[in-house]
Amino acid sequence: MIKLDIIQHVVERTGVTKAKAEMAVEAVFESMKQAMSKGERIELRGFGVFNVRPRKTGVGRNPKTGAQVKIVPGKAVRFKPGKDMLNQ
């Protein structure tokens, strides 16, 4: 599923115009991006939880060449599905 599919689903479920549905979906995604950039946790009951966690420094390997690659520290988004997601 891509963003356009989500927008189309909103149009079908609510009857709003495609332009308004696109604005609503974009607003939700933008709010989520802003919250995660601040390191905030996003909990959507019945769907799951998004967390931003630090990523460790380390050494990895390029699977194609086998050469060692340094992994720089950073942040990664983790998603834990809610119970309702797993029971369907």
Side-chain angles (χ1 to χ4, degrees):
M1 178 178 263
I2 61 174
K3 189 172 13 175
L4 289 175
D5 295 331
I6 296 170
I7 292 168
Q8 187 59 39
H9 193 71
V10 170
V11 169
E12 291 168 4
R13 294 278 308 249
T14 63
V16 298
T17 65
K18 187 173 180 179
K20 287 185 179 183
E22 185 174 359
M23 286 174 35
V25 170
E26 286 291 338
V28 169
F29 288 158
E30 188 59 36
S31 296
M32 292 175 72
K33 284 183 207 176
Q34 288 176 2
M36 285 189 280
S37 70
K38 295 176 189 173
E40 295 177 5
R41 178 178 189 259
I42 299 173
E43 180 178 340
L44 303 171
R45 302 260 171 164
F47 184 74
V49 178
F50 294 90
N51 280 323
V52 177
R53 293 191 173 168
R55 188 175 54 217
K56 297 179 183 177
T57 301
V59 177
R61 293 207 177 267
N62 181 331
K64 195 170 188 178
T65 64
Q68 287 189 346
V69 178
K70 184 178 178 183
I71 300 172
V72 297
K75 295 179 182 179
V77 175
R78 304 279 191 235
F79 174 72
K80 182 178 177 186
K83 291 179 185 176
D84 293 346
M85 290 276 291
L86 299 174
N87 294 329
Q88 289 188 11

